[in-house]
Amino acid sequence: MTEPTTPLMQQYHSIKRQHPHALLLFRLGDFYELFYDDAIVAARQLQITLTSRNREKGQPVPMCGVPYHAAETYIARLIRAGHKVAICEQMEDPSRAKKLVRREVIRVLTPGTATDSPLLETRENNFLAAIARNGGSKPVGLAFVDFSTGEFRATEFAGPSAEPRLRDALEILRPREILTPAQAATLFPDPSATPRASLDGLGATETNLEPWVFETAYSERILTEHFRVATLDGFGLAGHSQAIAAAGGLLHYLRETAAISVAESTSGNGMAIQTRPAGRGLEHLDQIAFYEQQDALSLDHVTVRNLELLQPALGDEPSATLLFTLDRTTTGMGARLLRSWILRPAIDREEIEARLDAVSELKSATLVRDEIHRTLDAIFDLERLTSRVTLGNATPRDLLALGRSLSAIPTVRGMLARCKAPRLAHLHFQMDELADIRDQIARAIADDPPAQPTEPGIIRRGYHAELDELRDLSKSSKQTIAAMEERERKRTGIASLKIRFNNVFGYYIEISKANQHLAPPDYMRKQTLANAERFTSPELKDYETKVLEADQRAIEIERRLYRELREAIAAEASRLRQTATAIAQTDVLVNFAVLAAERNYTRPKFTESECGVGANGAGRGELLIAGSRHPVIEALLEQRGERFVPNDIYLDDASRPILLITGPNMGGKSTYLRQAALIIIMAQMGSFVPATEARLPLIDRIFTRIGAADNLARGRSTFLVEMSEVAAILNTATSASLVLLDEVGRGTATFDGLSIAWAVVEHLHQNAHPRTLFATHYHELTELEQLLPGVKNLHVAVREAGSEIVFLRRVEPGAADKSYGIEVARLAGLPQSVIARAREVLAEHEKGEHQVTKELSPGAAAAEQPVMFTPVKQEVLD
């Protein structure tokens, strides 16, 4: 590329070299312009016209632009597409600049650092993640932050399963951007992928940083400086060097990008600009929390997907998810916390019972519950408002929303003061009314302020005496000019004389060509038009100076007052975040109480057997759910005026840890499996559950193998994916886990699949002993009830009426006698000739299968039994 010769393009290239990986929006007058490859990318992404700019040597430079006043929309589209954007602003008034206008990058926006409303989903987090791994036997560090809310966490993964567990965490977090060391192997390489398509389907932009950014010593230093502490031990990070490295790399990146912001000094284009030192604007990141995976009920991404916790498995109907069904929260903070609790249900019994006590009281206290629920609806997103305040991006309307939100808090606290549950009392204590901030905003901000801090009219009348005087002078100008105009008409005898104002010439006297000979000697000519002459006079000139100086002074005072108010609020960021956290938890607990009251949910009870406490604090004992219902399907059926058929679920770690469930397709086996898991998740979140009674142990992890899917991009067939998921379960499940297996072995030949399914059941029974629900069409497996004392058969009941079948949706003891697959095929619309022929073929095969089963029955000679069906002999478990 030929070296640019114009000063403007030299300036552009100098700035672009500082931000090579971002699309540079270069301010030129009323437009942000992009050049070279940036222009090609932006024009394609934004669907705008790509033009060119001729250089001195005649080579066309690709170029496109967007109007600065509409830039927010275009920037949002670029960020959502996974690009980074550097905003380069004019730092001085072009009309006053003696040479080239000085320009600087005032802000770098990336997918993971977005805080502006158009870039965010109100009810979802926007995570930026960082990964530190130095190879060898060291753990892998993971840190993530939602910069828009201030949530900041870190963890580590050690051992041979570190990479899969890291992948699981990323699949569940779904960060918008992931930071990694530049020289390390990329997480999931795909050099041809576009930004959002990289990282093997994670949907995140990968950003490489210099390796030294992730050095533990450097990371520890910037973290202790930021949090103003001598040691990180108080955050739980002692001995977790890789978590520290990841968190430090993340904070370094935020300092380099998001901590540049817009503030209140004025440039000639009306944009308010001020850069500030690195690290400023991060005040709302006031703490970091280290967490272990076993601190909560563990759900891998396969389980999250199979149980449809956040996203529907098929289609795009959001109502088919647990999140949609449970979400009656009224604040964005509460919605995000509910989502977090679904993904990480509690495992500490004391914490769960504290939540349940609160829900129980709120369910009974109808008036208190309804009043809190109604009042919370008036509270805006305090977490994100606080973030924008500390970054210096808060608009006057943001501050007004903040003030109005704080005005609602005394009502919520008053209602909580009536409650006796310890958790509600604690939330009352944690909820700061922030009366000082609320009153200051009420005194300072006008009732209907402008959208941007660069516009006049932000500060309320009566807040600042000098500002009021200057505004009065400006407002009285119309009357003053009208009086002056009338005097000049009488003095000159020109009845058509007018005094007007525009931004180019200021105030002027306009006289028609026919009357210009009547202009007095003290008039000074300013402009000649086709039909008129424009003049000024000493009196008008003096008045213009006085008014314009008053307007400029008023602007300066108003912006200073606004900046001071915003900085005063930013200084209280920790109080605001504490209150936002309390509001969010109150919102979720009230939400649970509303659901319990409206949907007839029951409080679960947690039990432990005499065996004591199992792995990770999870208790042993029975799992009994009487009249259990699938919360999502029940809600969908109610919308259609239909009723869900409840079923009982009973598992005991000693006598019946495995339930083997047979029955036809469409009969409800998968629903039965899923509702058991969803009820446990709800219970350990602290919610009441859809059942008439629920006695539960604490579960440490839920595993699922449900449905079939391949991953051709990674060279994995449906059956390989299925076996990989089963392998993860068999290698990881503990006696305190819940395992859901549906149709294991159906992805291969019948006898191969049956052999694998048989062996899997035996392994679960003999080794980890997790509570297991195993749905299958292999009726041969029902013989295991006679061979393994912990296996019990259940079946989904069906009623035959002639050639028709009716699905009763009831789960009953015993094995099903057949699968009714042909009847289901008939319901699907297969031609009658195909159905008839299928019945003939089935009859022939059943004869042969009966003979094989007879030969392989437990009574046959052991020597004649194929190895795959030989049951493992064992003692009956007490």
Side-chain angles (χ1 to χ4, degrees):
M1 182 174 63
T2 305
E3 187 67 23
T5 56
T6 67
L8 179 69
M9 294 309 293
Q10 290 176 3
Q11 183 187 58
Y12 168 83
H13 281 278
S14 174
I15 296 172
K16 178 62 180 176
R17 279 192 291 270
Q18 299 172 33
H19 303 277
H21 303 299
L23 301 178
L24 182 63
L25 270 64
F26 190 75
R27 182 70 180 272
L28 282 176
D30 290 339
F31 282 81
Y32 286 115
E33 301 289 358
L34 298 98
F35 299 101
Y36 299 100
D37 291 343
D38 287 1
I40 296 172
V41 171
R44 180 176 61 248
Q45 189 67 54
L46 300 175
Q47 295 296 297
I48 58 178
T49 302
L50 181 67
T51 61
S52 63
R53 178 188 182 99
N54 289 329
R55 295 170 56 187
E56 282 78 357
K57 296 189 177 182
Q59 297 179 352
V61 175
M63 171 182 175
C64 68
V66 298
Y68 85 92
H69 57 79
E72 185 179 72
T73 301
Y74 293 103
I75 292 172
R77 289 167 61 184
L78 292 172
I79 297 299
R80 287 182 183 277
H83 298 286
K84 302 168 189 174
V85 175
I87 301 174
C88 180
E89 193 52 71
Q90 295 174 168
M91 303 301 290
E92 55 185 339
D93 188 340
S95 65
R96 299 177 183 176
K98 295 181 180 180
K99 296 182 180 180
L100 186 65
V101 175
R102 183 168 61 90
R103 293 178 174 85
E104 292 181 8
V105 170
I106 61 168
R107 196 172 178 198
V108 179
L109 294 169
T110 75
T113 62
T115 59
D116 298 330
S117 297
L119 303 177
L120 302 172
E121 295 293 338
T122 302
R123 307 179 78 80
E124 296 181 19
N125 286 103
N126 190 81
F127 286 123
L128 167 70
I131 296 169
R133 50 181 180 178
N134 296 324
S137 59
K138 288 187 176 181
V140 179
L142 170 67
F144 60 90
V145 66
D146 183 340
F147 193 53
S148 71
T149 68
E151 181 180 355
F152 194 0
R153 295 177 180 271
T155 190
E156 286 182 347
F157 305 92
S161 64
E163 290 291 333
R165 290 164 61 205
L166 171 63
R167 173 75 191 209
D168 270 338
L170 293 174
E171 287 273 8
I172 292 173
L173 281 173
R174 307 300 295 182
R176 293 284 304 280
E177 186 177 359
I178 300 176
L179 311 177
T180 58
Q183 295 178 0
T186 187
L187 283 175
F188 312 106
D190 186 359
S192 65
T194 58
R196 289 306 301 274
S198 62
L199 299 180
D200 194 27
L202 282 176
T205 298
E206 185 174 4
T207 298
N208 299 133
L209 303 181
E210 292 296 325
W212 62 265
V213 171
F214 294 95
E215 291 179 359
T216 303
Y218 171 73
S219 293
E220 186 168 8
R221 178 172 62 80
I222 66 169
L223 287 169
T224 53
E225 286 178 358
H226 175 77
F227 294 119
R228 299 178 184 177
V229 294
T231 173
L232 298 175
D233 293 1
F235 299 114
L237 288 166
H240 299 292
S241 60
Q242 292 303 97
I244 291 173
L250 196 154
L251 184 61
H252 169 90
Y253 184 67
L254 291 176
R255 281 184 165 192
E256 296 297 313
T257 55
I260 305 172
S261 85
V262 178
E264 263 65 53
S265 63
T266 309
S267 73
N269 51 33
M271 187 74 173
I273 301 164
Q274 175 180 310
T275 57
R276 51 184 171 184
R280 290 293 304 276
L282 308 182
E283 290 88 349
H284 66 296
L285 300 182
D286 56 2
Q287 59 183 338
I288 182 173
F290 180 84
Y291 71 96
E292 300 278 6
Q293 299 300 304
Q294 59 266 30
D295 291 343
L297 193 164
S298 182
L299 303 167
D300 58 28
H301 77 278
V302 173
T303 299
V304 171
R305 181 193 68 215
N306 287 341
L307 294 180
E308 299 179 291
L309 299 183
L310 304 180
Q311 300 290 334
L314 298 174
D316 56 357
E317 179 51 60
S319 61
T321 65
L322 182 67
L323 176 61
F324 184 93
T325 302
L326 298 186
D327 191 358
R328 297 280 294 278
T329 57
T330 58
T331 69
M333 303 166 288
R336 293 190 295 271
L337 182 62
L338 174 65
R339 187 186 187 94
S340 174
W341 283 7
I342 288 176
L343 293 174
R344 286 181 58 81
I347 202 169
D348 180 74
R349 181 170 179 174
E350 184 176 345
E351 170 64 19
I352 297 170
E353 295 291 357
R355 296 179 189 177
L356 290 172
D357 287 343
V359 174
S360 180
E361 181 170 356
L362 290 169
K363 180 186 176 185
S364 301
T366 305
L367 293 177
V368 171
R369 180 185 73 233
D370 290 348
E371 180 65 14
I372 294 176
H373 199 243
R374 182 190 63 79
T375 305
L376 288 175
D377 195 37
I379 296 179
F380 292 84
D381 199 327
L382 294 180
E383 288 180 333
R384 286 182 170 167
L385 287 173
T386 301
S387 171
R388 290 201 285 273
V389 167
T390 61
L391 280 168
N393 297 330
T395 68
R397 293 177 184 176
D398 285 337
L399 297 195
L400 189 66
L402 177 60
R404 290 174 176 172
S405 298
L406 298 181
S407 297
I409 292 177
T411 301
V412 178
R413 291 191 78 242
M415 292 296 104
L416 291 175
R418 302 183 185 182
C419 301
K420 297 180 180 178
R423 177 54 52 86
L424 299 178
H426 176 71
L427 292 173
H428 172 269
F429 175 76
Q430 291 289 106
M431 208 175 290
D432 188 338
E433 294 185 11
L434 297 141
D436 50 339
I437 295 177
R438 179 192 67 214
D439 294 343
Q440 192 171 3
I441 292 173
R443 291 195 310 272
I445 302 297
D447 289 334
D448 186 20
Q452 297 299 326
T454 54
E455 301 173 26
I458 299 170
I459 302 300
R460 182 186 295 276
R461 184 174 182 82
Y463 185 73
H464 192 275
E466 184 183 357
L467 179 60
D468 290 345
E469 291 176 5
L470 294 169
R471 284 173 171 173
D472 288 341
L473 178 61
S474 181
K475 287 181 180 179
S476 66
S477 63
K478 290 184 178 180
Q479 292 83 356
T480 303
I481 291 298
M484 188 183 300
E485 185 180 71
E486 186 61 28
R487 287 198 311 273
E488 292 302 305
R489 285 176 179 177
K490 291 179 180 179
R491 181 165 80 96
T492 61
I494 305 173
S496 61
L497 181 149
K498 298 175 182 177
I499 299 180
R500 295 290 183 266
F501 176 86
N502 67 36
N503 290 326
V504 177
F505 293 102
Y507 285 102
Y508 58 86
I509 301 169
E510 186 171 289
I511 300 175
S512 65
K513 289 284 189 181
N515 293 313
Q516 64 178 336
H517 65 283
L518 298 176
D522 60 338
Y523 277 19
M524 295 165 281
R525 183 175 278 103
K526 294 189 73 170
Q527 185 183 21
T528 299
L529 303 178
N531 299 316
E533 291 286 339
R534 290 177 175 176
F535 302 87
T536 187
S537 68
E539 181 186 14
L540 184 60
K541 198 170 185 180
D542 290 344
Y543 184 76
E544 178 182 30
T545 301
K546 182 179 179 181
V547 170
L548 293 182
E549 286 179 353
D551 288 344
Q552 185 61 35
R553 175 64 178 157
I555 290 172
E556 292 173 357
I557 290 175
E558 189 164 36
R559 289 179 178 170
R560 175 177 58 80
L561 294 174
Y562 180 72
R563 182 177 65 250
E564 290 173 354
L565 174 62
R566 199 169 57 190
E567 290 174 352
I569 297 172
E572 305 300 332
S574 61
R575 291 171 62 200
L576 282 163
R577 275 191 24 87
Q578 175 182 300
T579 296
T581 300
I583 290 288
Q585 191 165 155
T586 301
D587 194 8
V588 176
L589 295 174
V590 169
N591 171 72
F592 286 162
V594 170
L595 295 174
E598 293 183 356
R599 299 180 183 174
N600 194 29
Y601 287 176
T602 300
R603 176 170 182 163
K605 297 178 181 178
F606 289 90
T607 60
E608 295 177 3
S609 70
E610 295 179 357
C611 299
V613 177
N616 303 321
R620 304 294 294 150
E622 66 176 1
L623 185 157
L624 184 151
I625 312 174
S628 71
R629 313 185 305 272
H630 192 297
V632 179
I633 296 177
E634 180 183 45
L636 293 174
L637 289 176
E638 285 179 353
Q639 293 177 10
R640 302 200 297 262
E642 301 176 32
R643 178 179 171 272
F644 186 90
V645 178
N647 279 294
D648 297 340
I649 302 172
Y650 181 70
L651 290 159
D652 185 88
D653 55 286
S655 61
R656 47 186 291 154
I658 300 177
L659 299 182
L660 195 65
I661 307 155
T662 51
N665 284 312
M666 296 177 59
K669 298 192 303 297
S670 294
T671 298
Y672 186 74
L673 268 61
R674 286 183 170 97
Q675 71 195 48
L678 294 182
I679 286 172
I680 288 170
I681 289 172
M682 289 174 64
Q684 293 191 210
M685 288 167 59
S687 171
F688 283 25
V689 299
T692 56
E693 181 185 4
R695 296 203 304 270
L696 307 171
L698 287 173
I699 298 297
D700 68 348
R701 186 161 184 175
I702 296 176
F703 297 90
T704 64
R705 158 87 283 278
I706 299 173
D710 53 28
N711 190 334
L712 298 180
R714 299 180 70 186
R716 305 178 71 190
S717 68
T718 299
F719 186 63
L720 181 57
V721 171
E722 175 187 342
M723 290 298 100
S724 297
E725 293 176 0
V726 173
I729 294 171
L730 299 184
N731 292 325
T732 314
T734 72
S735 59
S737 301
L738 176 69
V739 174
L740 309 180
L741 295 171
D742 191 11
E743 305 301 343
V744 169
R746 298 297 289 183
T748 186
T750 300
F751 286 106
D752 282 352
L754 177 56
S755 304
I756 293 170
W758 185 291
V760 167
V761 175
E762 285 186 342
H763 180 92
L764 290 169
H765 188 272
Q766 296 162 9
N767 294 282
H769 307 295
R771 298 168 183 81
T772 303
L773 300 180
F774 193 110
T776 184
H777 280 292
Y778 291 131
H779 291 272
E780 295 84 353
L781 295 181
T782 60
E783 297 177 14
L784 288 169
E785 183 181 58
Q786 305 301 320
L787 304 173
L788 304 176
V791 176
K792 301 299 177 185
N793 286 329
L794 298 177
H795 72 281
V796 181
V798 173
R799 185 176 66 209
E800 297 186 58
S803 61
E804 302 288 330
I805 59 172
V806 178
F807 299 109
L808 300 181
R809 314 294 185 192
R810 290 201 308 267
V811 177
E812 300 176 347
D817 55 354
K818 54 183 178 179
S819 293
Y820 298 95
I822 295 176
E823 281 69 22
V824 173
R826 180 182 59 77
L827 291 175
L830 264 65
Q832 287 299 320
S833 58
V834 174
I835 298 299
R837 178 55 181 157
R839 285 175 175 150
E840 293 174 0
V841 174
L842 175 63
E844 293 298 321
H845 278 281
E846 283 180 338
K847 291 179 183 178
E849 185 177 342
H850 176 73
Q851 180 62 34
V852 171
T853 303
K854 182 177 180 181
E855 294 173 357
L856 299 178
S857 64
E864 298 175 0
Q865 295 181 5
V867 174
M868 67 179 182
F869 290 110
T870 304
V872 178
K873 296 181 180 179
Q874 61 174 40
E875 298 296 328
V876 176
L877 297 176
D878 292 328

